Each structure stands twice: as structure tokens, then as C-alpha cells.
Amino acid sequence: MEQKFIITVGRQYGSGGREIGKKLAQLFGIAYYDKELIQEASKESGLNAEYFEKADEKAPGSLRHMLSMSWASLGSTVGSDGSLCNENIFKYQSNVIQRIAHEHSCVIVGRCADYILRDLPNCFNIFIQAPMQTRVERIVNAEGIDVKEALEKAEKINKRRAAYYNFYTDKEWGNSASYHLSIDSSILGAEETALFIKRFIDLKLSK
């Protein structure tokens, strides 16, 4: 029987973390979850996927002006400042992550998966980073926006991801001590970085 294992991928925006996560899933022949978690959590909770999308990787307090949400449809899921909504949505999503991780090997991107699965054997927590210039270039090429807008977007999204991670865990987002492996994707590129991470995991699994 093959060993079951999980790879969690934290990433700076523009570092290629999502691409590397997909490549890892392909290399190992296992499932890949990113935005797919939103749909899974929506199904299990009975809430519209839109609510999960609005709260995706956002700490409580960052959704104080959820004007498009219906209080009647959400009921007690949302509090006066939006915090209860975020925390309940985090709980729904955490349940999905735990269920998936216990069912089969997979790659899970973001959403505090490393912390949620901290007690699970064979869970490899990876963080993908890159210099700001490299990240900005990637965002410009991928999204067709100018350098200034790409820089602002990178800073905004990374700040949001850090706030989310630091709120829900007892670790620090992006700090190498929070992960098993933290790697600069600009050194080898996405393909070789994925292969490097695969070798790292293969070595551990073979022991």
C-alpha cells in the first residue's frame, strides 16, 4: 500500500507558488486543491460559494463592509463586524481540508492548511517566495498590468495573506521556521523548483 502524504504550499503572490503546486501534483500523480476548496466547503456547509470567495484568505475584520451579503440568508453566520462570518467560514473550510487530507494524498495551496494539518503524519509544509522584482515581472506578464499596479497588488495581497495566516495560527506567515522547506523559486524556475521539492519529499518518504 502506497504511503499517503500531503503537501501544503504557502506562497508570496507572484512567486509562482500555484504553478509549482500544480506541477507537484502532476509529478506525484495526486490531487490538487486551491480554489477547489471553496466549492467543497460550499457544498458541505450549504452556503453559497460567493461567501467563501469573499472571505477567502482574509482575516476577521477585513470584511466589515460585506454589503452584498444577505443577513437573512446567512443568519447567525455573520456578526456585526463580519468576524463571525470569517471564523465560521474558516471552520467550514478547515473541516474540508481535514476530510480531504484523511482521504487521499494531495497538494493544498494556502488557507492555513499546514496549521490545520499540523498533527497529520507525512504532511510537508512548503513556502514559495521570490524577490519583489521577479514577482512583479511575473504579475505583469500574467495579468497584463503595469509595473506600478503589479507592485501595489503584490504588496496588498501578501499583506492580506499574512494577516489571515497570523490570525488563525500560532506561527508567522513567510517565516522559514513555520515550514519544512522555504525556497526562492527565482533561482531554479517553477519546473526545477517543483522537481527539487519532489526530491526532498521522496527522500523523507523513503526513510
Side-chain angles (χ1 to χ4, degrees), residues 26-197:
Q26 292 168 359
L27 288 169
F28 281 109
I30 59 178
Y32 171 85
Y33 294 95
D34 184 3
K35 295 292 186 181
E36 293 83 357
L37 291 171
I38 291 174
Q39 296 301 324
E40 291 291 329
S42 173
K43 289 177 187 175
E44 291 201 6
S45 67
L47 291 173
N48 191 300
E50 178 186 359
Y51 303 140
F52 289 90
E53 290 168 359
K54 286 180 178 293
D56 194 30
E57 294 194 289
K58 296 184 180 72
S62 60
L63 293 184
R64 295 177 188 277
H65 304 292
M66 299 163 68
L67 299 180
S68 63
M69 288 194 174
S70 166
W71 281 65
S73 63
L74 286 176
S76 62
T77 304
V78 65
S80 60
D81 65 352
S83 61
L84 183 58
C85 175
N86 289 62
E87 290 171 7
N88 277 5
I89 284 176
F90 179 80
K91 182 179 179 182
Y92 289 134
Q93 199 160 256
S94 295
N95 291 341
V96 168
I97 289 171
Q98 290 174 336
R99 175 180 60 76
I100 287 171
H102 281 86
E103 288 177 351
H104 52 251
S105 297
C106 62
V107 174
I108 302 176
V109 175
R111 297 163 186 86
C112 301
D114 60 309
Y115 183 76
I116 293 165
L117 303 176
R118 61 191 179 279
D119 297 323
L120 195 70
N122 289 338
C123 183
F124 300 94
N125 304 320
I126 312 298
F127 189 82
I128 308 298
Q129 57 184 309
M132 178 61 84
Q133 182 178 345
T134 302
R135 288 185 278 130
V136 167
E137 289 174 0
R138 175 184 282 271
I139 295 167
V140 168
N141 292 332
E143 303 182 26
I145 58 180
D146 61 35
V147 171
K148 182 175 182 294
E149 188 177 354
L151 177 61
E152 291 174 349
K153 189 170 184 179
E155 290 178 339
K156 178 182 178 181
I157 291 178
N158 284 333
K159 183 178 180 181
R160 189 184 75 198
R161 286 177 179 173
Y164 173 84
Y165 185 89
N166 296 345
F167 180 88
Y168 285 113
T169 78
D170 57 3
K171 303 191 291 183
E172 181 182 352
W173 184 83
N175 187 321
S176 60
S178 299
Y179 310 90
H180 295 124
L181 180 65
S182 181
I183 188 167
D184 181 345
S185 60
S186 71
I187 296 174
L188 299 176
E191 184 75 37
E192 290 299 324
T193 297
L195 288 169
F196 181 89
I197 296 170

